[in-house]
Amino acid sequence: DYFNYTKIQFKLNFQGYRQYVAYTYIGFNVVGFVVNTWVMYVIAPLLLAPSKVPKSILFYIFSLCIADLLIMFAMLLLIIELVMGTWTFSSAACTAYLAVDAMNKFIAPIIVFLISRACYQTVCLDKQASERAAGLRYAIVQVVAALVFVGFLLWPVFAYAQVYTFYLNPNNVTNEVTVMHKCSFLPPTEVEFWFNLIACVTSYAIPLFGIIYWYVSVPFFLKRRAIRSLVNNNSMDAAMKKVITTVILLAGIYVVCWSPYWFNMFAHRFWSFLSLEKRTFVIVSYLIHLLPYISCSAYPLIFTVMNRGIRVAHAKVVQDHKRKFKYMTGEASNTIRNATSALRSQFPSKAASRGSFLEVSQDGCVRKTSGLSINGRCKNDSMLSSKISMSSDCEKAQVRVNGGVISPPLQSQRSPETMSAEAESGESETLL
């Protein structure tokens, strides 16, 4: 209808409630990047280093961080749309954003579900099942299977996600019209209902039941084992309190972050009966949509901070790296020092120089004579007798006895001022 019209891109002033909503999203986006990056820094070295923490749990947490970082990047597109007031990217970018956003409904709850199951298996089952559940290969298979399952469920997003164009304030005189773009997922009503229902059951109800059941089963198992064994009751009670605290925290965050989201997905058609003004409705919708992003920062932090084994293993790895770095720098310093000394010995400043000798006769008389100093060894052409060499190439005076060279006492060669200066120099080298 507006083919011949000049299209003006829609611009909305960044002010009012949109400004506060955007700042809230930006704040949690920054927190999400920082938290997940830090958790990856803690977890990644432990995947390759020996530790008491099961490799499967470490891989689950690492996979959760990767998924959360991907969601944080997609959140940037949402923030830009919120600030600009219109979608400024391509249709492919819109599909990618909606696919990642929809993936957030599945990946995070499913990985939390797998972590709770792995904790239960490694603690409560027999040795063979426990070792299998703790293995890295088992965890990789589980995550790959979950990704394939989620990719199959997301087919409506790829089929019905698109950028919708709205034409505002057409001017028939100047043939101008304002254009606004919105990235949205609007499938047919029946497809939307079944997609939300399946997603709610598989990514909300089942994971919530599994998290509560498997985590609650661990304290009961520990209690029964404590009754049958001679384990200290105080330590066992502390372990059970920690497990119970973890369960309450995980379940609480799960319910708070996801229950309003799914309630809004099924009840959004009935919001009109609540007589809410448009601005209030938009603010509430944005805040409800923000809650799942908050869970992306909360879960990795909980699994890392509350797991003492992960903290201890990471501290040990950091200490080992510091020790290796110190050793490598020390070896490099020694290599450079040895190479410098070798070069100095192979290329002296002067190959040979004339010097003066003091010849000591048997009657105690000392007379000056001519000599030659080569590579630090003093020789006289006339005779082999006792001489004191003061050659410029010799670093210190030497006494030659029957062809051999010995050093006389330092006190007989240096003045008090020279000895004082050398003493201060030696003390400085010791401090360094």
Side-chain angles (χ1 to χ4, degrees):
D1 295 338
Y2 300 100
F3 179 76
N4 295 324
Y5 279 59
T6 301
K7 297 177 177 58
I8 302 173
Q9 294 297 324
F10 177 79
K11 293 182 179 179
L12 189 62
N13 294 329
F14 185 57
Q15 60 185 7
Y17 71 91
R18 291 175 52 255
Q19 188 175 6
Y20 300 108
V21 172
Y23 287 152
T24 304
Y25 269 72
I26 292 172
F28 281 104
N29 184 259
V30 172
V31 172
F33 274 113
V34 172
V35 168
N36 284 280
T37 303
W38 177 78
V39 173
M40 289 185 65
Y41 161 74
V42 174
I43 296 297
L46 302 183
L47 286 171
L48 304 177
S51 65
K52 295 182 180 180
V53 183
K55 297 295 184 182
S56 60
I57 294 179
L58 294 175
F59 182 76
Y60 290 142
I61 299 175
F62 186 79
S63 302
L64 181 62
C65 290
I66 294 178
D68 290 345
L69 288 175
L70 187 61
I71 292 168
M72 291 298 110
F73 279 109
M75 189 179 178
L76 290 175
L77 302 181
L78 176 61
I79 293 173
I80 294 173
E81 182 188 22
L82 185 60
V83 172
M84 302 296 294
T86 183
W87 182 262
T88 58
F89 304 98
S90 64
S91 179
C94 173
T95 303
Y97 158 71
L98 291 175
V100 174
D101 185 69
M103 184 183 68
N104 185 29
K105 303 175 184 178
F106 297 93
I107 294 298
I110 288 177
I111 291 181
V112 175
F113 172 84
L114 293 175
I115 292 175
S116 62
R117 183 167 175 261
C119 292
Y120 171 80
Q121 290 176 324
T122 54
V123 174
C124 302
L125 299 185
D126 57 87
K127 183 178 179 180
Q128 183 177 359
S130 175
E131 291 178 352
R132 184 184 64 179
L136 181 60
R137 183 180 301 178
Y138 179 79
I140 294 175
V141 171
Q142 296 287 321
V143 172
V144 171
L147 289 176
V148 172
F149 174 72
V150 171
F152 175 76
L153 291 180
L154 291 181
W155 72 265
V157 177
F158 295 99
Y160 298 104
Q162 61 178 323
V163 178
Y164 292 89
T165 303
F166 300 91
Y167 298 96
L168 309 174
N169 303 323
N171 191 327
N172 296 325
V173 177
T174 60
N175 287 338
E176 294 179 344
V177 63
T178 302
V179 178
M180 181 176 66
H181 304 285
K182 286 295 179 182
C183 175
S184 184
F185 168 60
L186 296 175
T189 304
E190 185 176 358
V191 175
E192 181 184 11
F193 172 79
W194 285 107
F195 173 75
N196 290 334
L197 180 63
I198 295 173
C200 181
V201 173
T202 57
S203 66
Y204 177 73
I206 294 178
L208 179 61
F209 175 78
I211 291 169
I212 295 176
Y213 172 76
W214 279 317
Y215 269 121
V216 170
S217 299
V218 173
F220 285 103
F221 174 80
L222 295 176
K223 189 67 175 180
R224 290 195 302 268
R225 188 171 65 178
I227 294 174
R228 294 194 302 265
S229 62
L230 299 177
V231 179
N232 187 359
N233 290 330
N234 293 330
S235 61
M236 187 59 63
D237 291 340
M240 287 190 294
K241 288 180 180 179
K242 184 177 180 180
V243 173
I244 293 173
T245 302
T246 304
V247 173
I248 294 175
L249 191 59
L250 289 175
I253 292 176
Y254 194 91
V255 172
V256 170
C257 291
W258 288 100
S259 296
Y261 177 84
W262 287 111
F263 177 79
N264 181 62
M265 292 297 294
F266 288 101
H268 69 279
R269 299 181 183 278
F270 303 100
W271 283 109
S272 58
F273 296 102
L274 298 178
S275 301
L276 294 175
E277 59 177 320
K278 182 178 180 181
R279 184 177 66 176
T280 303
F281 174 76
V282 172
I283 294 175
V284 172
S285 298
Y286 271 116
L287 293 180
I288 289 176
H289 192 71
L290 178 64
L291 292 175
Y293 292 113
I294 296 176
S295 69
C296 293
S297 303
Y299 283 129
L301 192 63
I302 292 173
F303 288 127
T304 304
V305 173
M306 297 191 66
N307 193 319
R308 184 177 179 273
I310 292 178
R311 299 198 309 270
V312 172
H314 176 72
K316 184 177 181 300
V317 169
V318 171
Q319 188 66 27
D320 291 341
H321 284 314
K322 288 182 178 179
R323 190 181 299 110
K324 290 179 181 178
F325 179 76
K326 186 176 181 180
Y327 173 77
M328 291 172 61
T329 54
E331 286 293 316
S333 178
N334 291 334
T335 302
I336 295 174
R337 190 181 300 111
N338 294 335
T340 304
S341 300
L343 288 175
R344 288 177 178 176
S345 63
Q346 291 179 6
F347 301 99
S349 59
K350 296 179 181 179
S353 64
R354 301 291 297 180
S356 297
F357 294 90
L358 295 180
E359 183 177 335
V360 183
S361 62
Q362 294 181 355
D363 57 0
C365 296
V366 180
R367 58 188 178 85
K368 190 173 182 180
T369 182
S370 176
L372 182 65
S373 173
I374 300 176
N375 292 334
R377 295 184 62 86
C378 300
K379 293 184 180 180
N380 193 291
D381 297 333
S382 58
M383 62 184 70
L384 291 176
S385 61
S386 298
K387 301 181 185 67
I388 300 176
S389 172
M390 303 298 294
S391 173
S392 59
D393 271 348
C394 299
E395 295 181 358
K396 54 188 177 180
Q398 297 174 332
V399 177
R400 179 176 301 279
V401 180
N402 296 330
V405 180
I406 62 173
S407 298
L410 294 177
Q411 289 82 355
S412 64
Q413 304 177 51
R414 294 169 173 79
S415 63
E417 292 80 6
T418 305
M419 289 189 290
S420 176
E422 290 180 355
E424 293 177 357
S425 176
E427 183 179 359
S428 300
E429 292 179 359
T430 303
L431 292 176
L432 291 175

